[in-house]
Amino acid sequence: VYTMEEALDRLRPLLGDLLHWADLLDWLPSGWTTGPRRRAATAATFAAALELVRDGHAEIRQDRPFAPIQLRARVPA
């Protein structure tokens, strides 16, 4: 199982360098890209991204239904 906390620990340091929109699935841990492991990593990474958005550290977007979900660091106003 890949937890949201593990995903947060992985995303937080990477987020500072993420000034342009990036596909959320690009941030899955290596080795977690197929089958049930991919689903667990995707869910945990998405939940972690929502936490980062809620805390004001990131922005998230999706252009249309079923399109890739994208993430970037929040640009200060």
Side-chain angles (χ1 to χ4, degrees):
V1 176
Y2 188 67
T3 67
M4 184 184 76
E5 290 77 18
E6 290 171 312
L8 274 170
D9 290 342
R10 179 177 169 77
L11 284 177
R12 279 189 183 117
L14 300 173
L15 190 62
D17 298 329
L18 191 59
L19 301 177
H20 301 286
W21 291 106
D23 189 336
L24 189 67
L25 296 181
D26 291 342
W27 299 99
L28 297 183
S30 58
W32 288 76
T33 55
T34 60
R37 292 182 74 165
R38 177 187 173 99
R39 289 190 295 275
T42 300
T45 302
F46 180 63
L50 291 177
E51 283 290 312
L52 291 169
V53 170
R54 186 186 72 165
D55 292 342
H57 300 294
E59 296 176 304
I60 197 168
R61 75 176 183 185
Q62 185 179 33
D63 294 331
R64 64 187 182 288
F66 304 105
I69 296 169
Q70 298 177 321
L71 179 72
R72 73 174 178 186
R74 185 168 179 253
V75 179

